[in-house]
Amino acid sequence: MSTTVKTNTLTFVQAITDAMKSLLEQHEEVIVLGEDVGVNGGVFRATDGLQQQFGTDRVMDTPLSEAGFTGAAIGMAINGLKPIVEIQFLGFIYPAYEQIMTHASRIRARTMGHYSVPMVIRAPYGAGVRAPEIHSDSVEALFTHMPGIKVVCPSTPYDAKGLLIASVLDPDPVLFLEPMKIYRAGKEEVPEDEYSVEIGKGKVVQEGEDVTVIAWGAMVPVAMEAANKMTARGVTCEVIDLRTLYPLDRDIIQQSVQKTGRTVIVHEAHRTSGVGNDVMSIINDYAFLYQKAPVQRVTGFDTPVPFFAYEDYFLPSSDQVIHAIEKVMNF
Amino acid sequence: MEQQFPIKQLLNEKGEVTEVLQNELLNDAFIRLLYYHLIRSRTFDRKCVSLQRQGRIGTYAPFEGQEAAQVGSAMALEQNDWLFPTYRDHAATMTFGHDLTTILLYWNGRNESCIPPEGKRIIPPAVPIATQLPHATGTAIAEQKKGTNHAVIAYFGDGATSEGDFHEGLNIASVFQAPVVFFNQNNQYAISVPIEKQMKSKTIAQKAMAYDMPSVRIDGNDVFSVYRETKKALDRARNGEGPTLIEAVTWRYGAHTTADDPTKYRNQEDSENRRKAYDPILRLEKYMLANAICQQEEMEQMKQEVIIEVEQAVEQMEQVPPVSVDDIFDYVFAESIWPIEEQKRVYYASVGKGEKA
């Protein structure tokens, strides 16, 4: 017996829109708010058509006020709504950081579960699209370090829709990072109905025996490109897309590293206190004696994300990943 | 600006009403209830300072002097309204129905203190200044979307009006005409910084003009005026007429917290003089006696009763069993996650209370 799942061929950003459309249709407590999300459909068109379909009451253009509308969304969530907040670019989230860290992520713990904030903050992040300064930040670690909020970062249209739905249905706050470099990079079959991809679970994108390459967001295609080139040279890489950055998928990392004994971590965020270090901690705690070489990291530098004329120097490239793979292979 | 926003008064310093009271608004029984809440909160506040001095609770933020602003405004709320307080607003929360023992637990560093009584929509005290204003706006917008006539009140001080969240909260409330009342207690000091150094503005009420929002400046030590103006603002909110900013001018007699010494930054004789001249409770007592609403003996009797009530709350607070370390781990997320479970397991193992990690 097989049932045909109706699918559409969508880009990443279309899958995001599709997820919100489905959520707005199915759950009356879901609302969408942020700057330019209404009439304009969002600066990346992620909310395109939603206000026309669901009205200004459920898809709200807010004043230009990140702390204000994030704070207001917290108040809405406390009072039974499920807000999806759009921060136009992750680099603009800093005014809202206090609201997220002193309230959204704490109210459940403070009140022993009496109040909660089931809210999703969507934010496009990352470099590589020649955007003006501050628009290209990748600061997931500011959020994974702080307790009480989950951090999700898909890299494919299918995962984008499934994880956004899971995030909105989650009873706690979720920061949902969207790699803007991938927004329109390719299309994939995405089921039309509502479905969830579990938060906290990574995915083996490609199986391999020699090296585990761990990445997320816009670095997954870079990792894959390097892995494909290495296959031609007789080295097989197991590529893991973490998909959730907090809580990390301990099992997938442990199992893969126990198998390969070699690890390369790729992230575009700054190196110091980056999420890569937490991946290394998991390897240290759960796969230490399986290792054949020290873990290599290919990351952004400990510098501000540069103006876009320099961004190709800043972003990890497949050549740098190959260099790291060679290092762990030749150790 | 002071002319444009005169301080409204209904019960003056001498205990005289400045206009004929409307009986339906302020009948004798209601006035006695106001008095009960005023003396109960003052007794509670003084007890807290004393408990802190004895080491029986932690640092405490006293509100003595501000009782009328808090009691009068909280009495204007309806059962299903929402209250967003700061850490200095326990007179408001207890008047609205918060439990005294629970409030005491807050100052004993315990999380149970943030759980309001069944059916009461009281949010835990906001510590980061002004951050609760956008929440109040959002909660009010949610009520609007649900089509109810419930309103929201948010408390904050004069210093809070310098924060971005004050302006963002008011602006968004104004844009969406949210049913929220922003209740400012201008006690004229933000810890050590006097209002003249906090703002060049002559009033706080005038700040609402920027948001095309109605505002009113009232004598915050006049419980009648506070009650009447807050009720008007709440009624407007319920009727879909949007938010209001209320500036209640008042004074905290004591320190910012028990960890602070106000004599370092102001002459505390001022506080003593104000206590004699402007006290919110004294003036109500004068009014009640002069108008035969309550006799002296009865007032003394009520004072004894609230002392007993507060003492019972303290007793209950001290009988609450010690905290469990599990509380730290078990409420971060609705469903616990492995890093927290792992840390809990390792913690127990490290103190010899679990399997070896």
Side-chain angles (χ1 to χ4, degrees), chain B residues 202-220:
Chain B
K202 295 282 185 260
T203 73
I204 285 170
Q206 75 195 64
K207 298 186 185 214
M209 289 170 71
Y211 305 106
D212 203 13
M213 184 189 293
S215 66
V216 60
R217 193 167 196 232
I218 52 178
D219 178 348

Side-chain angles (χ1 to χ4, degrees), chain A residues 78-326:
Chain A
I78 284 172
N79 195 4
L81 299 183
K82 279 183 173 285
I84 304 174
V85 177
E86 178 176 302
I87 298 281
Q88 217 154 57
F89 293 85
L90 186 61
F92 300 167
I93 204 169
Y94 307 117
Y97 195 70
E98 180 185 29
Q99 284 292 344
I100 299 166
M101 289 311 157
T102 64
H103 293 290
S105 64
R106 278 180 219 238
I107 192 103
R108 178 185 293 281
R110 292 174 76 209
T111 64
M112 304 174 96
H114 184 81
Y115 292 114
S116 59
V117 177
M119 164 172 95
V120 173
I121 300 168
R122 293 181 39 244
Y125 86 95
V129 298
R130 300 175 68 78
E133 58 171 328
I134 317 292
H135 291 62
S136 304
D137 281 13
S138 179
V139 288
E140 59 269 25
L142 292 180
F143 298 88
T144 57
H145 178 70
M146 295 296 283
I149 182 164
K150 295 174 184 171
V151 181
V152 168
C153 183
S155 74
T156 66
Y158 180 90
D159 286 345
K161 180 172 177 180
L163 274 166
L164 183 52
I165 289 167
S167 299
V168 171
L169 301 182
D170 194 276
D172 288 302
V174 178
L175 176 67
F176 190 90
L177 298 173
E178 300 170 5
M180 60 183 117
K181 197 174 181 196
I182 287 180
Y183 263 160
R184 294 181 174 83
K187 292 193 174 192
E188 191 175 32
E189 291 298 304
V190 174
E192 197 163 285
D193 288 343
E194 192 174 298
Y195 65 95
S196 280
V197 170
E198 192 179 345
I199 295 174
K201 296 286 177 215
K203 179 171 74 178
V204 175
V205 184
Q206 172 183 296
E207 290 190 10
E209 300 300 323
D210 302 315
V211 184
T212 300
V213 183
I214 298 172
W216 55 90
M219 290 298 107
V220 174
V222 175
M224 274 306 294
E225 194 184 322
N228 289 337
K229 287 182 188 164
M230 289 309 289
T231 310
R233 289 164 54 177
V235 175
T236 65
C237 296
E238 180 141 299
V239 179
I240 292 174
D241 177 357
L242 283 177
R243 300 195 292 190
T244 293
L245 304 181
Y246 191 87
L248 284 168
D249 185 343
R250 171 179 53 173
D251 297 342
I252 205 169
I253 297 167
Q254 178 182 357
Q255 281 159 18
S256 183
V257 177
Q258 285 186 357
K259 177 171 73 173
T260 64
R262 301 182 187 89
T263 312
V264 172
I265 301 163
V266 190
H267 64 65
E268 67 173 283
H270 318 289
R271 177 171 300 210
T272 298
S273 303
V275 173
N277 296 4
D278 290 289
V279 175
M280 289 208 295
S281 300
I282 289 176
I283 295 169
N284 180 70
D285 292 349
Y286 302 100
F288 186 76
L289 293 176
Y290 293 83
Q291 292 188 90
K292 298 169 185 154
V295 175
Q296 292 296 309
R297 285 171 296 161
V298 184
T299 70
F301 310 122
D302 282 10
T303 64
V305 177
F307 285 25
F308 72 75
Y310 309 87
E311 70 183 353
D312 290 342
Y313 296 112
F314 181 84
L315 281 174
S317 65
S318 62
D319 286 346
Q320 286 170 291
V321 178
I322 287 170
H323 182 69
I325 294 170
E326 286 167 348

Side-chain angles (χ1 to χ4, degrees), chain A residues 31 56-58 60-81 95 98-99 102-115 147-150 170-173 200 246-251 282 286, chain B residues 82 84 106 110-117 120-146 163 165 168-169 171-172 175-176 327-328 331-335 337-340 342-343 345:
Chain A
I31 65 158
T56 52
D57 221 32
R58 297 191 65 204
M60 300 166 68
D61 276 319
T62 67
L64 209 166
S65 180
E66 285 83 4
F69 67 71
T70 303
I74 291 169
M76 294 175 191
I78 284 172
N79 195 4
L81 299 183
E98 180 185 29
Q99 284 292 344
T102 64
H103 293 290
S105 64
R106 278 180 219 238
I107 192 103
R108 178 185 293 281
R110 292 174 76 209
T111 64
M112 304 174 96
H114 184 81
Y115 292 114
I149 182 164
K150 295 174 184 171
D170 194 276
D172 288 302
Y246 191 87
L248 284 168
D249 185 343
R250 171 179 53 173
D251 297 342
I282 289 176
Y286 302 100
Chain B
W82 292 81
F84 286 74
Y106 184 73
R110 298 188 56 136
N111 281 104
E112 298 91 337
S113 64
C114 291
I115 305 170
K120 280 287 169 193
R121 299 162 127 187
I122 302 170
I123 298 295
V127 173
I129 304 300
T131 53
Q132 73 279 21
L133 272 59
H135 306 164
T137 294
T139 293
I141 292 172
E143 289 298 338
Q144 197 177 40
K145 287 188 191 300
K146 293 174 186 178
E163 291 277 9
D165 276 357
E168 298 193 35
N171 182 50
I172 296 176
V175 167
F176 293 103
D327 295 347
I328 303 176
Y331 298 100
V332 183
F333 293 104
E335 200 180 315
I337 56 171
W338 75 262
I340 293 175
E342 182 70 0
Q343 289 158 32
R345 189 181 66 77

